[in-house]
Amino acid sequence: MRDPQNIANHLAHMAKAQPSALAVAIQHHLGFSRQASFTELSFSQLDQECDHACWALQGFGIKATDKVVLMVTPSVDFFALTFALFRLGAVPIFVDPGMGINNLKQCFEEAKPDHFIGISKAHIARVLFGWGKTSIKSHLAVAKHSWLTTFAGIKRTYPNQGSFVAPAHEANAMAAILFTSGSTGTPKGVVYSHEMFNAQIAALRDDYGIRPGERDLATFPLFALFGPALGMASIIPDMDASKPITANPDYIKHAIDHYQCSNLFANPALLNILGQAGNTQHWQLKSIKRVISAGAPATPESIELFQSMLMPKVEIWTSYGATESLPISKIGSHELLRDTQQHTREGGGICVGYPIADVTIDIIAITDEPIALLSQAQLLKEGQIGEIIVKGAVVSRQYYHRDNATLSSKIDDDIQGGHYHRMGDLGYLDDAGKLWMCGRKSHRVSLPSGDLFTLCCERIFNEHTKVSRTALVEVSVGQTAQAALCIEANTPLDTQQKAQVIAELQQLAAQQAHTKQIQHFFFHRAFPVDVRHNAKIFREKLSVWAQQELEKQ
């Protein structure tokens, strides 16, 4: 009997419950053709592919508890391999290819993988940059032609012998290692347990109301894996999932229409791209029942633009969380746009909604020191800004081989039991229980008069018609910390126009108690941002740049 905690068993269950229903569809375009084709698998076929992959991988030498890097683009092989590794009891290692060569090498040095499965480009990079060379014992290519052993080759060598029985293990046993993207710090390997995966599936089913038989336009590979586990078909558009801002909106629209998708997962950058394309071409997405956006806060403008393509009762759900704990809270676009925007424009931060079921959110006094026990933390009252901490089954217990990071980020609840994760974000809870984000803890500007918080300050200036976005950073004059605002214009401006905009921003700053402390204003051509979300600003780099600009004056 298969271990009920294993995430792969959700696929087996759905293969029995709805064997002929669509599980996966992959969109393809050959060359420069605009004509799409699709590769499809039913739940029964995907389960059989998973079993065959288990027998093949076992024959190749991969066994339970082995750590396996998986760098495969969304495809039938991606789904079969991922579920097979779970079913085998092996531990897949997932990394974001957009994090950069040096970060990737560090990830593999820390994780010490036993095997490496990837597309040809991943293997070339592995050889060139020495990824995992001290620990990797075998390599497997997912390609038609390769100098390495191929996945297709071992499938021919080791035929499918029927249902593969997963080994038994504890609910909190390590199921996977997911590395953070590094967009808000050094990438760290988050240990996922089977219990944590199952809690995430339950949250998507219960809090978002996802049901078997739905079809999801999935633009993020790991989210796409939840589809088959929920009995929902994952429709994969033809796009580079590591660079969603390069996606062709027409391809995505065609996939939605072709399969009458009911669910759409898109990060804020892609949401904006699709909204702009839809506004230009007058799209109506009549089949969509819900949109889930995560990864970074979407702007109200992009939400409103996308909302215009949906049926009146359909909402865009903004979901808050992190690799270490996801999802944590959510809020629908109707309430977000109707009830929270005025407070945001006045510097109240960004509302990220209500806690999902079985998740506890608390706010503690800001400190950069480790906190071992909850009784040692200062819990704050509603309306007080502090560090966001969260507890629940979707919250990870530790980082992989990062003891110091675990000590700095986890708090044992010695009062009611369990453990909290320190999100590294600042915010507060209002009197209705909604969570408001004020910015990253590491990005706060600490002045002699008190702290300034990025999201609370920047939104005031982002209202200016000539401003695309702003970034609050800290600079120094002598030994004194001061606040500076970096400005990205939405259209090219000459020197005189820039001076005029700065004067107007200074007037806006003077109207608020917190923003009037900002003393320096600098125009920047294009902010450094993360590749995936195109929204997480690298303020550390901007702070160095602003300091240099200040010293030129």
Side-chain angles (χ1 to χ4, degrees), residues 191 193 196 199 324-328 359-360 390-398 410 419-422:
V191 175
S193 66
M196 188 176 170
E324 298 91 335
S325 47
L326 180 75
I328 294 302
V359 164
T360 300
V390 298
K391 180 174 76 169
V394 297
V395 177
S396 61
R397 294 173 180 267
Q398 65 186 49
K410 309 298 177 181
H419 65 281
Y420 280 87
H421 174 66
R422 302 172 70 175

Side-chain angles (χ1 to χ4, degrees), residues 328-346:
I328 294 302
S329 68
K330 67 183 178 70
I331 186 170
S333 52
H334 294 170
E335 182 179 1
L336 181 73
L337 297 174
R338 182 187 64 236
D339 299 340
T340 72
Q341 291 311 294
Q342 184 58 37
H343 191 47
T344 295
R345 285 190 286 268
E346 294 170 353

